[in-house]
Amino acid sequence: MGTSSAVRKEAEALRREIEEHNRRYYVLDDPSIPDAEYDRLFRRLQEIEALHPELMSEDSPTHRVGGNPVSEFSEVRHRTPMLSLSNAFSPEEIEAFDERIRKALDVDRVAYSVEPKFDGLAVSLTYRDGVFIQGATRGDGATGEDVSANLRTVRSIPLRLPRDAGSGDLEVRGEVLMFLADFEKLNHRQRAAGAKEFVNPRNAAAGSLRQLDSRITAQRPLRFFAYGVGTPDPAWRTHSEVLDRLSGFGFPVAGERESASGASGLMAYFNKVGALRDRLPYAIDGVVYKVDRLDWQQALGFISRAPRFAIAHKFPAQEELTEVVGIDVQVGRTGALTPVARLKPVFVGGVTVTNATLHNEDELRRKDVRVGDTVVVRRAGDVIPEVVSVLHDRRPGGTTPFSMPVACPACGSAVTKSPDEAVARCSGGLFCPAQRKQALLHFASRRAMDIEGLGEKLVDQLVDAGVVDTPADLYGLDIATLSRLDRMAEKSASNLLAALEKSRHATLQRFVYALGIRNVGESTARDLAMHFGSLGRMMAASTEELESVPDVGPIVAKSIRQFFDEPHNLQVIDELRRAGVAWVEGGGRPAREPGKSKTFVLTGTLPTMTRDEARAMIEAKGHKVAGSVSKKTDFLVAGEDSGSKLSKARELGVTVLDEGEFLKIIKALE
Ligand code: IVH
């Protein structure tokens, strides 16, 4: 008996519906049904296909879960070779590129299609009469590997194209990659399962795409972005048009693509994307400029294996290899010991790096970094450089594993490590000069007592000379003592004394923050000041009372109690008071009843006021400022260059205000 046409129709309808949901989710980033509903549709289609194998089709989304493993990939010869791009690193090279092209074409001005350069793997996808039939890796450019079954599992790759994609063959080219957030999740999963972690999203994508068992690939969060075609349709005029068409056929293309002309236009795009780079959901390693007109591309042709009409303008690499020449241990304000690798200088992420953090003992042990090792160092954006991994096969003979000291390198006190923490700590407290120095720097920092001019070098000198032990000693400094220090001119000495004088008038919030109580950041200090209104009441509070302050949990309450139970700390507070440090008791208006206060988040640069000023206006009315956008946020005040907070607010439907709207609202609020 043949299959009834009702079943056939249902299968067809399910395939279309499922693929539409795939497209909404992976291409448009705008899902319209819950996951459970999607799963139900998917299972129904699987059920029909199991009962009616004759209905199975190549382009069915059920293939996306993977099929039988293969023992090796077969070779695929690319019909048009997959070329590489020449690289450029400097404005001069970009200038020369544009000039070369203008000369060759004998024109004054050339329009370019400009796009991000994805840091993934190039693949080629072949469609015949609108159906995906084959997918291949780039390989050596002429021949790649047939990874069709694996690519079918990538949900952002359409398995069937709309009718207007035409008949015949279409070869789409682009990049397979992994979003950074998906990569983190995958590594988390790998760690939990005791499996090997991947060093970066690119390696994770490569490893996933080259699985012989496509069911494994199906479990990996791969994405695809299209950036070109093998041979364009003769009716298409420009590369921008190619990308528009591909987007229309359902392929994801970079949202950041634009047109630009002239070397200055190219540079402007490079700088713009460079500034945006850390906020993109995926890794890019530069931008690509392509002559937009396809006939001009043809006319320009190729040099060896790269087109003359395009160039990759690379960002400085964020990862480089270098050698570990030593491992030191630094002591932070709270006594935390941080192992730091001293490196042979290396240019990475746009700066020369000589030190990189190894984070803590657990991390150090996991990576097993040793003096003499060749390591991968990473510096992305403003992030502190870190050692990512060790090249074990380059390890010289005779190295020994590094072990953390049992005594503090700064003061010799015992090093302790509680089992629930990755961090080892010096137990010396303020006896430890390293902690003392950090504590002084924190006390003097801008958001604490704001003592201008009291920087690292001066603190080093003051502590090393035995002139200053505690913050209270700062207020006993005089011109005579200061001028005895190295490189201390009278002018800077009197400036420092003036800054100290000014800092005597504080607020309770600043003073509490300046004390450097573990786990008490600025916002907790503010909450404490608001709640207790006086230092005396705060110092006398039990852990239970402390826990009644918003956002103070048992751990924070315990650190506060411990701090005020330490006689040495009480003595410092007393000495500060006697040295004339005073603060306004009370924390502004008392906090409002829960439910009556509004929560604001501030982001970006406001046109006429600083974020601190905006914060003060909000707090003066007893409302709150939070550090991140959540469902509880009432308003996001967004200035120029608002980044992820703005997108998060939009996602959650939080009201977004510009400065003008903010001022109106804050005036109107009770
Ligand atoms: S166009 C003929 N556009 O960069 C030009 N390539 O060195 C072919 N890539 O392996 C490439 N993003 O995988 C082009 N927007 C982009 C790209 C891009 C990344 C990769 C591509 C290729 C390599 C070229």
Side-chain angles (χ1 to χ4, degrees):
M1 201 185 79
T3 318
S4 78
S5 76
V7 176
R8 186 181 301 277
K9 278 199 183 125
E10 186 184 358
E12 271 301 315
L14 281 167
R15 281 181 194 140
R16 251 178 286 135
E17 195 176 350
I18 292 170
E19 284 299 271
E20 177 54 18
H21 289 306
N22 276 339
R23 197 172 77 89
R24 290 198 68 116
Y25 190 97
Y26 290 100
V27 183
L28 307 178
D29 214 1
D30 180 26
S32 59
I33 56 165
D35 290 359
E37 178 63 12
Y38 176 89
D39 292 343
R40 202 184 58 75
L41 297 173
F42 200 90
R43 275 198 304 276
R44 174 69 189 139
L45 179 60
Q46 279 179 318
E47 214 172 85
I48 296 177
E49 287 176 349
L51 288 171
H52 306 278
E54 70 282 3
L55 287 184
M56 200 60 194
S57 80
E58 278 282 296
D59 63 339
S60 175
T62 53
H63 287 299
R64 295 199 186 272
V65 292
N68 292 334
V70 293
S71 55
E72 59 175 358
F73 298 118
S74 47
E75 283 194 346
V76 177
R77 221 181 147 71
H78 299 301
R79 274 200 268 173
T80 337
M82 291 185 76
L83 303 170
S84 56
L85 291 166
S86 332
N87 290 330
F89 293 90
S90 67
E92 294 74 35
E93 286 169 283
I94 297 309
E95 194 97 41
F97 164 75
D98 179 54
E99 190 176 323
R100 234 171 13 245
I101 289 185
R102 281 186 287 111
K103 267 216 180 113
L105 294 169
D106 195 19
V107 293
D108 293 335
R109 189 180 153 279
V110 176
Y112 297 93
S113 167
V114 293
E115 343 172 341
K117 184 171 189 301
F118 304 102
D119 195 8
L121 297 110
V123 294
S124 149
L125 312 173
T126 306
Y127 291 81
R128 183 156 297 156
D129 298 330
V131 178
F132 174 77
I133 55 162
Q134 191 179 60
T137 60
R138 174 171 183 270
D140 62 7
T143 314
E145 285 176 323
D146 184 338
V147 286
S148 309
N150 291 347
L151 286 169
R152 254 198 199 98
T153 70
V154 178
R155 302 269 194 302
S156 47
I157 295 181
L159 296 177
R160 177 183 281 270
L161 306 182
R163 226 177 284 283
D164 59 348
S167 56
D169 282 8
L170 173 69
E171 198 191 329
V172 177
R173 288 177 173 181
E175 201 91 343
V176 165
L177 48 80
M178 210 176 267
F179 277 14
L180 303 171
D182 292 333
F183 164 75
E184 299 293 343
K185 273 189 233 152
L186 172 63
N187 258 357
H188 190 80
R189 236 164 52 205
Q190 296 282 104
R191 206 160 38 234
K196 201 173 148 279
E197 287 177 54
F198 298 98
V199 281
N200 58 38
R202 187 177 187 285
N203 285 7
S208 305
L209 190 61
R210 297 200 65 260
Q211 286 289 333
L212 293 168
D213 185 345
S214 54
R215 285 169 302 193
I216 299 182
T217 312
Q219 307 291 322
R220 302 281 174 78
L222 293 175
R223 302 269 183 158
F224 174 78
F225 280 95
Y227 56 62
V229 292
T231 319
D233 184 307
W236 299 344
R237 296 274 167 259
T238 61
H239 181 71
S240 314
E241 183 181 351
V242 172
L243 296 181
D244 289 342
R245 298 271 175 185
L246 290 175
S247 171
F249 299 164
F251 292 95
V253 297
E256 293 72 23
R257 69 195 167 96
E258 289 178 16
S259 342
S261 75
S264 61
L266 300 179
M267 281 311 299
Y269 181 71
F270 177 79
N271 293 329
K272 174 173 152 186
V273 176
L276 200 89
R277 183 184 190 188
D278 292 335
R279 279 180 270 148
L280 290 178
Y282 46 80
I284 61 174
D285 56 352
V287 292
V288 184
Y289 311 137
K290 301 171 185 170
V291 170
D292 204 23
R293 270 177 62 164
L294 296 175
D295 57 338
W296 282 0
Q297 288 194 358
Q298 277 269 304
L300 286 159
F302 304 86
I303 352 158
S304 70
R305 296 166 39 129
R308 244 192 219 102
F309 58 77
I311 200 160
H313 191 177
K314 302 280 284 276
F315 296 133
Q318 291 185 320
E319 288 187 357
E320 285 292 351
L321 292 181
T322 188
E323 206 180 292
V324 177
V325 294
I327 298 177
D328 288 349
V329 174
Q330 283 177 352
V331 188
R333 176 168 65 79
T334 56
L337 300 191
T338 307
V340 176
R342 304 283 171 220
L343 307 169
K344 210 181 234 179
V346 60
F347 190 71
V348 52
V351 298
T352 301
V353 167
T354 51
N355 302 318
T357 179
L358 294 161
H359 299 291
N360 57 51
E361 189 174 6
D362 288 359
E363 276 282 302
L364 177 63
R365 190 158 308 144
R366 201 169 60 75
K367 290 178 185 157
D368 183 22
V369 182
R370 304 182 186 186
V371 176
D373 272 341
T374 300
V375 292
V376 177
V377 177
R378 178 174 174 79
R379 181 187 177 273
D382 295 332
V383 185
I384 302 170
E386 62 165 352
V387 170
V388 179
S389 59
V390 174
L391 271 65
H392 289 281
D393 50 352
R394 293 225 204 152
R395 176 170 283 167
T399 63
T400 46
F402 180 80
S403 53
M404 288 290 271
V406 289
C408 170
C411 72
S413 300
V415 169
T416 57
K417 185 163 177 260
S418 60
D420 54 337
E421 262 199 333
V423 184
R425 289 177 196 280
C426 160
S427 59
L430 288 180
F431 169 73
C432 173
Q435 290 185 58
R436 227 182 295 149
K437 287 176 185 175
Q438 294 298 323
L440 287 165
L441 284 169
H442 173 77
F443 184 84
S445 62
R446 198 169 60 81
R447 292 172 170 280
M449 302 299 276
D450 194 16
I451 307 172
E452 218 179 304
L454 192 64
E456 212 166 308
K457 290 215 175 74
L458 185 52
V459 166
D460 276 350
Q461 283 195 65
L462 291 169
V463 172
D464 294 343
V467 182
V468 169
D469 276 341
T470 75
D473 298 336
L474 292 170
Y475 294 95
L477 290 171
D478 53 32
I479 289 276
T481 321
L482 284 173
S483 5
R484 276 200 294 277
L485 299 173
D486 273 358
R487 277 171 296 154
M488 176 58 92
E490 188 155 334
K491 176 98 177 92
S492 14
S494 59
N495 284 347
L496 179 65
L497 291 179
L500 278 162
E501 184 54 41
K502 201 168 121 206
S503 76
R504 280 201 167 97
H505 313 281
T507 60
L508 179 56
Q509 171 196 323
R510 275 179 183 270
F511 184 75
V512 170
Y513 173 62
L515 289 174
I517 305 169
R518 202 153 132 207
N519 300 315
V520 176
E522 243 188 312
S523 80
T524 308
R526 188 171 51 247
D527 291 347
L528 289 167
M530 293 254 198
H531 185 91
F532 292 106
S534 89
L535 187 66
R537 277 200 288 279
M538 196 185 305
M539 287 167 70
S542 65
T543 42
E544 291 74 38
E545 283 171 88
L546 288 163
E547 278 180 49
S548 67
V549 177
D551 291 335
V552 173
I555 298 179
V556 181
K558 194 171 151 207
S559 344
I560 301 171
R561 214 34 280 153
Q562 274 175 349
F563 186 90
F564 290 128
D565 284 341
E566 167 63 54
H568 175 87
N569 292 334
L570 301 185
Q571 193 188 329
V572 172
I573 292 172
D574 196 44
E575 280 169 17
L576 282 166
R577 269 199 166 121
R578 278 192 281 130
V581 176
W583 52 87
V584 189
E585 298 246 296
R589 284 213 354 201
R592 285 167 183 269
E593 283 165 49
K596 292 213 174 145
S597 86
K598 299 280 179 209
T599 302
F600 290 75
V601 172
L602 306 168
T603 184
T605 316
L606 298 173
T608 72
M609 59 200 304
T610 67
R611 283 213 291 271
D612 282 344
E613 284 162 354
R615 170 193 288 278
M617 291 181 76
I618 296 165
E619 288 173 355
K621 292 221 162 187
H623 299 285
K624 281 195 278 200
V625 179
S628 58
V629 176
S630 74
K631 275 186 277 185
K632 292 190 195 146
T633 310
D634 295 295
F635 302 106
L636 177 76
V637 184
E640 199 152 327
D641 286 329
S642 310
S644 58
K645 285 185 186 156
L646 184 56
S647 31
K648 184 82 188 286
R650 295 215 166 112
E651 213 171 275
L652 295 174
V654 169
T655 310
V656 178
L657 308 174
D658 63 18
E659 186 183 289
E661 291 161 335
F662 162 68
L663 289 170
K664 269 190 216 136
I665 286 203
I666 198 73
K667 282 203 188 100
L669 276 177
E670 226 310 272

